[in-house]
Amino acid sequence: MVATAALAAYSFMKPTLSIAGEPIKKSEICEFVVGDSIPVPIMPVAESEYKPRTGIDSSSQKILLIGDSMLEQFRWRLRDYCKENGHEMASVIWYSSQTEWYGTTDTLRYFIDKEKPTYIMLILGANELFVSNIIEKRTPYVKHILEQIDTIPFIWIGPPNWKPDTGINQMIVDNVGSRRYFPSKNLTYKRFADGAHPKPESAFAWMDSVAVYVMNKSRYPILLNTPTQKYSGSPNSTILQPWKK
């Protein structure tokens, strides 16, 4: 009985003990008892490794929408979804931002601490469509972004490509998995004169598609029923100017 208790206690220890240079194998008690509460390293996750989750969380959420200028029109439709479904929202637009900016500063962590979101929507990558060797150059920044998000449920909404990219979308999905990544490049958009930013009607349809994805395919489904009306009031927004290094 004493030996069993000792082995159980040992299974919860982080260091691995050894005898004569040979590591003592731990039991699976800790994994059985604690389960998902043990933090895991942030790394590319195979879809088969996700544990299935059933049902939609209908509780009120505090959604932080953060990223680059592509969310400028998108946030207005998210405002309608939040008001329809009893959520709060805050949005942060960092003009011209990239994964490098969010991945080398504490900007994301600052707004997480400030807004205390229960759910994060990240729209980022449009300013990196044509970066060469992007997987090698930017993967460390993506990993640091995920470290800042920590255990908060999130989805990464990919850039609305207007031309084929050099790997930004693949890099994102490789790091977050398809159930936390929405491939915006698969949609069709009407765009402003710059040829990149979606016009309001397309941005609204984009958000509609994201909502369907969140409720039906995402790792963290929350209630996002289609708004029955267009609501009044501006989204709670913070605007950040381009970073001057």
Side-chain angles (χ1 to χ4, degrees), residues 17-154:
L17 304 180
S18 61
I19 298 177
E22 292 296 322
I24 302 174
K25 184 178 179 181
K26 295 183 179 182
S27 75
E28 297 179 352
I29 295 174
C30 175
E31 181 179 355
F32 176 78
V33 174
V34 180
D36 287 341
S37 65
I38 301 177
V40 296
I42 296 174
M43 59 184 68
V45 181
E47 192 63 28
S48 61
E49 294 178 15
Y50 282 120
K51 292 186 177 180
R53 177 169 179 162
T54 58
I56 295 174
D57 185 350
S58 60
S59 64
S60 178
Q61 303 292 324
K62 175 65 178 292
I63 300 174
L64 174 61
L65 174 66
I66 188 168
D68 57 37
S69 60
M70 289 299 171
L71 65 85
E72 192 162 29
Q73 300 299 323
F74 186 99
R75 63 189 167 130
W76 291 89
R77 186 62 169 167
L78 178 58
R79 173 209 60 185
D80 291 346
Y81 273 90
C82 286
K83 292 196 173 185
E84 181 77 21
N85 293 279
H87 306 315
E88 294 181 67
M89 71 166 283
S91 61
V92 179
I93 303 173
W94 194 358
Y95 285 111
S96 302
S97 60
Q98 307 172 20
T99 57
E100 180 181 6
W101 297 14
Y102 279 103
T104 55
T105 68
D106 64 353
T107 302
L108 176 56
R109 187 71 250 174
Y110 170 82
F111 283 103
I112 289 174
D113 291 342
K114 180 177 183 288
E115 301 295 345
K116 297 178 174 51
T118 59
Y119 202 97
I120 295 174
M121 293 184 178
L122 182 66
I123 297 181
L124 192 60
N127 294 305
E128 299 164 279
L129 293 185
F130 314 120
V131 175
S132 61
N133 301 319
I134 190 166
I135 294 178
E136 176 184 345
K137 292 178 179 177
R138 302 296 168 89
T139 296
Y141 303 136
V142 171
K143 290 184 180 298
H144 184 55
I145 288 170
L146 299 182
E147 288 170 0
Q148 292 179 74
I149 293 174
D150 196 21
T151 60
I152 302 171
F154 77 94

Side-chain angles (χ1 to χ4, degrees), residues 9-17 26 30 38-39:
Y10 172 55
S11 74
F12 284 84
M13 295 173 61
K14 289 186 178 180
T16 299
L17 304 180
K26 295 183 179 182
C30 175
I38 301 177

Side-chain angles (χ1 to χ4, degrees), residues 199-241:
K199 290 185 174 180
E201 59 267 35
S202 288
F204 286 17
W206 181 17
M207 175 61 222
D208 291 344
S209 297
V210 169
V212 171
Y213 163 81
V214 168
M215 289 202 296
N216 294 281
K217 295 184 178 181
S218 75
R219 176 75 176 106
Y220 312 109
I222 61 172
L223 193 63
L224 288 174
N225 289 327
T226 305
T228 56
Q229 60 178 297
K230 183 175 181 179
Y231 290 86
S232 60
S234 299
N236 174 13
S237 301
T238 299
I239 308 297
L240 302 178
Q241 296 304 314

Side-chain angles (χ1 to χ4, degrees), residues 168-179:
I168 180 69
N169 281 281
Q170 189 61 52
M171 180 184 67
I172 297 169
V173 73
D174 283 349
N175 280 275
V176 307
S178 63
R179 294 182 65 194

